[in-house]
Amino acid sequence: MREFGLHQWLLLSFVAVVFGCAIWMAVLAIDSFRAAHGGVAGTVTVEDCLYADTDDGPQWTCSGPFVSDDGAVRRDAVTLRDRPSSPIQAGTTVTGRLSSPSAGNLHTEDRTWMWATGATISFLGIGLYHLRSVLRPKVEVARPPTVDPEHAAMAARARAFLEEWKHVFQPSTPVTAAPTPASTLDTPKRANLALGKVLISWLLLGLASAGMVWHLAEVERRREAPLTAYALGTVTAARLGAEDRIEVAYPDTAGVEWRVRWKPVDPDSYPEGGQVPVRYDPSRPGEVLPEYPEFFELEPRWRAVLIQLVLLPGLLLASAWGWRLGRWALGCLRRGRPAVARVRQAQLRWGTEPTAFWLELQEGNRTWYQRIVWDRRLLRRLTDSGAEVPLTVELRRCPGLRRMYLVDVAGVGRLWPASTARPHPPGNYELSPVERHRIGSAEPLGRYLKPLLLLVGGSWLLAGPVGAGYLLALVVGFMMWGGGAPWRGLYALRR
């Protein structure tokens, strides 16, 4: 198994969604098949219908008590599986079948399981096709043959022997000691633009998260802005349907009575005859909200959970980045200590391409391993003279419980940490000297931008431009949090 690039991870996310749809359709097919062949036949007396605005237009979810044809099975509330485009009048009876006496959905169509099975097979085929393309073995590039160490040592001794005999008859000259190199700690340091990328990505993530929260608040504000009229409603019915909703009747300014149904958080607090203050739009009295919406579940519970799950990654990543940048800022104020560093490229133990860059820091008799935020210009500069050449650096420890260093390299700039320093190499990576031939092959950016644009475009259609910008900022912020891994086509070193 090989290491996955950005486009493979995006495809895996798509495959996971497709498999989830396949499981959902399979459950529907099984439930519908059980209802059509051996279920419980009966009728539902419609008691309540809940409005839902979907991509296919307005739909209504209706529910009511169920009674089997033989009278043996009775349920207080059963939901109709098929959702009509208009509400069903209260008291209307709908015939259908339940998959079992304890089921909560009434199937009115006997052939639903057929198209559900077809959709399941289609989703499975699409998912398996893309999963096969992701897990397909990668063609290995032929590498130059390795040299036998014994032969290399013999050749080196032979060259040294010939070099000695070449100068044996030349007059001897006094040998002068090589000049001591200047301390690299006093050499001016070049600015590193990687910090600019980090700050821009962090600010972009913070602005996108704040923009997403503001957008949701603005939608809520626009919905409540026209509701300027007040009235006192009366509960005319309680515990309607499967949602235990209540029906509230309220008069408008002209004295016309309007009715609305809501689901209270505590159904026992709103018995029949109770009063509920409401706000409505004078020009459209049907647009109404309770005066105290916190006591009602006006939106489906899954929608609130989905919004929280969407906002949680951005808020956590922005907070983590803020904590890391604070440690960096305090670390810049500390004095540096001399140390020796070696550059290492990291790859997953089951992968074939470099995924990150680490520093092997030698401080006294201690060795630390730390991932860094990388810039390809730094890679070009540090490896021109050989990756195994140790670098004399300055270490500035960032405050915190876990050790973290800012690494100053003379003539290059400051290397910013992308992880804490650890005394042992990472367990899921294999560290090795930088090999330019493994990261120097350029691949088109379209290979990575196409799935990214597809993901952003899908979020644009589902959540608008604000959601698309938030998703893009989240992807960029997550990549920078991991150190800006040199994925080919994005961070590859161009020759």
Side-chain angles (χ1 to χ4, degrees), residues 215-429:
H215 176 69
L216 295 175
E218 183 67 14
V219 171
E220 190 70 17
R221 188 192 67 80
R222 290 179 180 179
R223 187 178 68 170
E224 298 183 3
L227 307 180
T228 57
Y230 294 86
L232 189 62
T234 303
V235 179
T236 58
R239 294 189 177 275
L240 298 175
E243 297 288 332
D244 287 337
R245 299 202 298 166
I246 62 174
E247 184 179 68
V248 179
Y250 62 97
D252 62 4
T253 54
V256 180
E257 186 178 78
W258 296 79
R259 293 176 182 268
V260 66
R261 293 185 177 184
W262 292 315
K263 180 182 179 181
V265 176
D266 184 11
D268 296 332
S269 300
Y270 297 91
E272 292 187 20
Q275 293 183 332
V276 179
V278 299
R279 293 182 299 159
Y280 64 92
D281 186 353
S283 60
R284 294 183 299 174
E287 300 293 332
V288 60
L289 284 177
E291 177 66 20
Y292 304 101
E294 61 271 14
F295 297 133
F296 297 87
E297 296 181 9
L298 301 178
E299 297 289 345
R301 187 173 301 176
W302 63 266
R303 185 175 300 177
V305 174
L306 180 61
I307 292 175
Q308 294 175 3
L309 291 178
V310 169
L311 294 177
L312 184 61
L315 297 178
L316 289 179
L317 188 56
S319 302
W321 258 122
W323 171 255
R324 180 181 287 183
L325 291 176
R327 296 186 66 183
W328 288 6
L330 295 177
C332 294
L333 303 177
R334 293 193 170 185
R335 296 187 58 183
R337 303 193 304 270
V340 176
R342 289 179 172 83
V343 184
R344 295 289 182 261
Q345 66 182 15
Q347 66 182 57
L348 295 172
R349 294 191 179 277
W350 55 84
T352 59
E353 299 175 4
T355 58
F357 287 96
W358 291 65
L359 290 181
E360 182 181 321
L361 305 174
Q362 188 73 31
E363 183 188 14
N365 57 352
R366 299 292 302 273
T367 302
W368 304 98
Y369 297 88
Q370 179 174 271
R371 186 170 56 201
I372 56 175
V373 178
W374 202 261
D375 190 301
R376 64 182 184 181
R377 288 167 294 183
L378 300 178
L379 176 63
R380 181 185 297 113
R381 186 178 183 89
L382 292 179
T383 58
D384 279 342
S385 58
E388 284 297 321
V389 176
L391 304 172
T392 303
V393 298
E394 278 184 349
L395 299 183
R396 302 177 188 271
R397 182 171 179 179
C398 301
L401 297 178
R402 302 187 64 182
R403 190 180 298 266
M404 178 185 288
Y405 290 114
L406 302 178
V407 184
D408 292 332
V409 182
V412 174
R414 177 162 292 167
L415 304 184
W416 305 93
S419 72
T420 55
R422 58 190 68 184
H424 305 287
N428 57 334
Y429 289 101

Side-chain angles (χ1 to χ4, degrees), residues 14-54:
F14 173 74
V15 169
V17 173
V18 171
F19 281 160
C21 295
I23 295 174
W24 177 50
M25 297 306 297
V27 171
L28 175 59
I30 294 173
D31 192 64
S32 176
F33 182 82
R34 291 179 59 192
H37 300 81
V40 180
T43 58
V44 169
T45 303
V46 176
E47 190 178 57
D48 182 40
C49 288
L50 180 63
Y51 174 78
D53 189 7
T54 64

